Amino acid sequence: MYIFRLSLFLLTTTVASAQLQLQPLNAAVLRGSKARFNCSTTQPPSVMNWMVNGRLVITILEASGVFNFTDRFSAQNFTTPGDYKWEFIISNVQRDDAGEVTCQVLGGAPQLATLSIQESGSVEIVGGNQTKTEGVQTEFQCRAVGWFPEPSMSWSVNGMANSCNRSSVAQGNLFNSICALTVTAVKNSSVQCLVSVPALSTPDTSTVFLTVEKLAKRDQTVLIAVTVAFSAAALLFLIIYAIFFFCMRRKKKSSYQEEIRRARIQSQIRTPSTENVQGQDNGGYIRDGHDGNTTNGVWYTNHSDKHQMTGILFDDAHRKHRHMTIV
């Protein structure tokens, strides 16, 4: 307490001006790690005070050395000729350490820096490795859980950067984020999700592998053989169909001609002959007799409805006489 009062008294009774420089002015560190700030002057400081969010945590006296008020805060001397430098260290930083860090020396104005405490969570590509057929679209989903502040996310496919459409949800003081990537399966690839906050020097990553199964190439010889066989079968079918169609038409035509011929023959048979029948035997002759020497017969021929011819045949010895009466 005495040291604290003395340092304040010395700071308020400035007798000379000193140039003071504080670095870095903005620092981002992960929770649980160390934060470091450097404060240097052009003149040897009689008193140097370090404060966090307005709370005095270390006093450095030129004659007595370093007085710290908690084990998490310490200082190291890196003074060189012409440059009086002290490094202020905060170990195992916590979220309530975030805010202003102040360095002030006797004879100089206070210098302010900003400390940001961040947290890195987990990163995982959901589903792990994938095997897809060539040409198929594949989706990968990266999940970042327990980060602060909201992390930046990106993808890398075979070392080539890809953008990420991120969506985040706050859970308490932390963020859970999801990012999706859609790629076409072209070749075997290494797919990497990168998640980062400013406090990380390198992003946290998760890596999976995409295995692409190529489509089997068809044997051209087999394809040609199948094509030729199919074409030959189709041609043979067409030839058989053409022959069958031709035969059916020919048979149908032959049947039609045969029917005409039969009809013509029947018509000729049914129609009486118009030729001159004079001097010809009457086909309608009927024999009628009682002995072997004389035979009486009657025959007739109808030429019309008005004419009728009858006759009697006499057999005299070896000669035959035919008498005809026309009515």
Side-chain angles (χ1 to χ4, degrees):
M1 193 65 175
Y2 171 76
I3 300 299
F4 176 70
R5 291 177 180 178
L6 177 62
S7 63
L8 289 178
F9 172 76
L10 292 175
L11 289 174
T12 57
T13 57
T14 304
V15 294
S17 178
Q19 295 180 356
L20 185 65
Q21 186 176 14
L22 177 61
Q23 292 180 337
L25 296 179
N26 292 283
V29 297
L30 294 176
R31 184 175 64 88
S33 61
K34 292 182 178 182
R36 299 175 183 270
F37 295 88
N38 294 312
C39 192
S40 60
T41 66
T42 56
Q43 297 179 5
S46 300
V47 179
M48 178 181 288
N49 288 329
W50 289 91
M51 290 173 285
V52 176
N53 291 325
R55 178 168 57 97
L56 181 63
V57 292
I58 282 184
T59 295
I60 303 173
L61 299 177
E62 183 181 5
S64 305
V66 178
F67 296 90
N68 56 342
F69 302 96
T70 176
D71 294 338
R72 290 199 308 113
F73 303 98
S74 60
Q76 289 184 349
N77 189 0
F78 290 94
T79 298
T80 59
D83 184 18
Y84 302 91
K85 180 187 296 184
W86 285 85
E87 183 181 61
F88 172 58
I89 304 169
I90 307 175
S91 300
N92 190 24
V93 293
Q94 301 300 316
R95 293 289 294 272
D96 57 2
D97 293 330
E100 291 184 350
V101 174
T102 305
C103 175
Q104 187 176 14
V105 297
L106 181 65
Q111 298 294 311
L112 301 179
T114 302
L115 175 62
S116 173
I117 309 302
Q118 303 180 0
E119 295 193 40
S120 64
S122 63
V123 54
E124 176 190 16
I125 297 178
V126 180
N129 299 331
Q130 295 194 35
T131 300
K132 298 294 181 179
T133 304
E134 184 179 14
V136 174
Q137 283 196 333
T138 306
E139 181 178 280
F140 294 91
Q141 188 178 81
C142 183
R143 181 179 300 166
V145 178
W147 291 75
F148 181 85
E150 186 177 1
S152 62
M153 303 179 70
S154 62
W155 290 94
S156 175
V157 180
N158 292 330
M160 300 294 293
N162 286 266
S163 60
C164 178
N165 295 322
R166 179 191 59 191
S167 61
S168 299
V169 176
Q171 186 175 4
N173 294 326
L174 302 175
F175 288 92
N176 298 332
S177 302
I178 293 177
C179 175
L181 171 70
T182 300
V183 297
T184 301
V186 177
K187 61 180 180 179
N188 294 341
S189 302
S190 171
V191 180
Q192 190 175 57
C193 177
L194 299 90
V195 183
S196 182
V197 290
L200 285 174
S201 56
T202 57
D204 282 353
T205 62
S206 177
T207 304
V208 296
F209 294 94
L210 171 63
T211 301
V212 178
E213 294 181 342
K214 294 186 178 296
L215 294 174
K217 294 183 178 179
R218 297 179 179 177
D219 189 343
Q220 297 298 323
T221 304
V222 175
L223 181 62
I224 293 174
V226 171
T227 303
V228 171
F230 179 79
S231 301
L235 181 60
L236 180 62
F237 173 79
L238 290 176
I239 293 174
I240 294 175
Y241 179 79
I243 294 174
F244 176 77
F245 181 76
F246 175 77
C247 292
M248 289 297 295
R249 288 195 60 182
R250 186 172 181 180
K251 183 177 180 181
K252 184 176 181 181
K253 183 176 180 180
S254 177
S255 299
Y256 177 72
Q257 291 177 349
E258 181 68 19
E259 289 294 330
I260 293 177
R261 189 180 67 81
R262 290 178 181 177
R264 186 177 298 170
I265 292 174
Q266 290 180 0
S267 175
Q268 291 177 354
I269 293 175
R270 293 175 182 176
T271 303
S273 175
T274 57
E275 295 180 357
N276 186 9
V277 296
Q278 185 176 1
Q280 296 180 0
D281 291 341
N282 187 359
Y285 173 74
I286 301 175
R287 296 179 62 88
D288 185 14
H290 299 281
D291 55 22
N293 296 323
T294 303
T295 302
N296 295 328
V298 179
W299 56 271
Y300 63 91
T301 300
N302 290 330
H303 294 279
S304 67
D305 293 339
K306 297 180 179 182
H307 295 86
Q308 182 177 8
M309 181 174 65
T310 61
I312 301 174
L313 177 64
F314 297 95
D315 189 1
D316 184 7
H318 299 285
R319 294 181 302 174
K320 293 181 179 181
H321 302 275
R322 181 179 293 146
H323 297 273
M324 181 176 60
T325 303
I326 299 176
V327 180

